[in-house]
Amino acid sequence: MNVLQLTMLVGAGSVLAGLVGALTGLGGGVMIVPLLTLAFDVDIHYAIGASLVSVIATSSGAAAAFVRDGFTNVRIGMFLEIATTTGSLVGAVLAGLCPASLIAILFGAVLLYSAMVSTAEPRRTGADDLPDALAGRLRMDGRYPTPAGWRAYRVHRVPLGFGLAWVAGILAGLLGIGAGALKVVAMDQVMRIPFKVSTATSNFMIGVTAAAGAGVYLSQGYIDPGLAMPVMLGVTAGSWIGARLLAVIDTRLLRLVFSVLVSILAMEMITSGVFGGA
Amino acid sequence: MAVHISTVLRAGVTLATAFVLFGATLYLSRHGTTEPLYEAFTGEPEALRSVAGIWGAALSGSGRGVIQLGLLVLLATPIARVALSFVTFAAILDRTYVVAAGIVLAMLCLGLAGGPA
């Protein structure tokens, strides 16, 4: 196989990864690392570098729209980014020290968990209008657009949300994923921020989080232009198509099917890590 | 602020994609038929690891250099967004968030400089 053929194949696979990532809500990054390591035998450090780059591209594109429409809470995003960027740097440095097999096993475990979570119905948190001293001092309370007009919300439990965001940052830097699901849990479940604001603000943070880790990967020589190019272009195209499909098709069955697929991929990652070959 | 952030993000991604596409054309037209080697990690050459090195490689007309410059622009997009937030918070004298943006900016530069290790 020559460079052109490999580029085409990786590009096509990345379109698929971006598509599935958008339809399941897991994000494109989650599918790229298994695709590159399992199907193309790429070293996992190169795979993570390419994945981080694609994560910056897709999240920045989506974040642009959410910010414009007023869903994103820039203050919350800015504050939690202290946690996610610090974590991302730690994760990226850890990845340089960890053997490929250990990263593969951890990746498989996180993938398996995300697949399970993505099929669960989102739990609704009760409306909580009591003010929180710390969130108030940080002026985090905000409002967001609904069909019935702007609605105000209050933010709670900032320290716990900050801690979870730090863990999400470590996973992002270590595994080359956006870790959006964990960021949404931190905001939606823990800080009791409305779901739409949580997902928009998570998207806003993903690009910055990935950029912190990607800088480390770049300077350590883990980002190969020949590999990152088809991945970035493919995932961006795939996510774009996926986002448009989401609006017109019923995704419940699709999510279930993909979750089974993602679980199988996760098992493969773990097996390859345990028995070598990752 | 929202409008400016949105514009910076979109412009950054568009510019990055343009560089990557242009570099891809150069790279594939010259090296499309060679053998790829990704199975063992050997690391990128020094020229494709640092801002100055990438800039030089891209200016010399290397396809891989131009792609890497595009990826660097992509990496710089969130950094530009944080820098913009820093300026905006400073303009409204919001000290808490000036500090927050400053810390995040420092972390991002630390990453590009090779990380804390």
Side-chain angles (χ1 to χ4, degrees):
Chain A
M1 186 158 49
N2 66 28
V3 166
L4 186 61
Q5 288 164 327
L6 183 73
T7 304
M8 290 300 168
L9 276 176
V10 170
S14 302
V15 171
L16 209 64
L19 191 67
V20 174
L23 291 177
T24 51
L26 293 177
V30 161
M31 308 294 300
I32 279 298
V33 175
L35 174 84
L36 292 178
T37 53
L38 297 175
F40 293 101
D41 260 343
V42 172
D43 180 283
I44 200 164
H45 294 100
Y46 276 111
I48 294 173
S51 173
L52 272 181
V53 165
S54 75
V55 165
I56 303 178
T58 50
S59 80
S60 297
F66 285 133
V67 171
R68 190 195 52 216
D69 298 341
F71 287 107
T72 312
N73 186 319
V74 177
R75 278 207 168 86
I76 296 174
M78 198 77 254
F79 190 77
L80 293 184
E81 275 166 10
I82 298 175
T84 64
T85 49
T86 323
S88 183
L89 285 181
V90 171
V93 171
L94 278 180
L97 305 174
C98 281
S101 54
L102 187 64
I103 301 177
I105 293 168
L106 189 61
F107 195 105
V110 170
L111 199 55
L112 207 55
Y113 178 74
S114 327
M116 289 188 319
V117 172
S118 79
T119 50
E121 289 293 313
R123 262 176 301 162
R124 263 323 321 143
T125 46
D128 200 337
D129 291 330
L130 291 170
D132 177 282
L134 183 57
R137 220 167 34 239
L138 291 168
R139 288 179 305 280
M140 282 180 170
D141 298 339
R143 55 196 197 117
Y144 71 110
T146 68
W150 290 86
R151 181 184 293 171
Y153 57 88
R154 289 190 189 279
V155 179
H156 304 83
R157 298 196 283 182
V158 178
L160 189 57
F162 191 84
L164 264 181
W166 190 68
V167 175
I170 292 186
L171 290 179
L174 182 60
L175 304 177
I177 58 178
L182 192 53
K183 293 189 178 95
V184 171
V185 168
M187 287 183 278
D188 172 59
Q189 306 288 333
V190 174
M191 299 171 76
R192 315 251 179 91
I193 300 164
F195 188 69
K196 278 206 158 172
V197 178
S198 298
T199 50
T201 308
S202 159
N203 230 307
F204 184 69
M205 289 156 53
I206 284 174
V208 171
T209 310
V216 178
Y217 280 83
L218 183 79
S219 52
Q220 293 188 349
Y222 291 137
I223 293 183
D224 181 79
L227 186 69
M229 173 260 291
V231 170
M232 176 225 165
L233 296 176
V235 171
T236 309
S239 319
W240 190 84
I241 300 167
R244 267 137 201 90
L245 278 181
L246 265 184
V248 291
I249 53 173
D250 179 32
T251 54
R252 251 177 317 178
L253 183 67
L254 212 58
R255 265 173 192 253
L256 203 64
V257 174
F258 282 143
S259 297
V260 174
L261 279 176
V262 170
S263 307
I264 295 171
L265 266 183
M267 303 292 209
E268 279 287 329
M269 288 294 288
I270 294 173
T271 324
S272 77
V274 172
F275 297 107
Chain B
M1 164 147 76
V3 180
H4 295 303
I5 288 178
S6 189
T7 311
V8 165
L9 290 176
R10 227 192 323 262
V13 174
T14 310
L15 189 66
T17 309
F19 273 123
V20 170
L21 277 174
F22 178 58
T25 319
L26 293 178
Y27 170 59
L28 291 176
S29 63
R30 290 174 193 157
H31 303 286
T33 52
T34 55
E35 196 76 16
L37 276 175
Y38 294 126
E39 283 166 35
F41 174 73
T42 48
E44 295 305 309
E46 215 46 59
L48 294 178
R49 292 185 184 204
S50 64
V51 177
I54 293 170
W55 181 246
L59 278 187
S60 76
S62 144
R64 286 164 61 85
V66 175
I67 295 175
Q68 205 76 331
L69 181 63
L71 300 180
L72 199 59
V73 170
L74 190 63
L75 230 143
T77 302
I79 302 180
R81 191 273 277 163
V82 176
L84 179 67
S85 303
F86 181 87
V87 173
T88 316
F89 284 126
I92 59 172
L93 303 175
D94 192 332
R95 236 177 299 164
T96 313
Y97 285 92
V98 169
V99 172
I103 295 173
V104 174
L105 210 50
M107 291 299 150
L108 288 166
C109 294
L110 187 63
L112 257 186

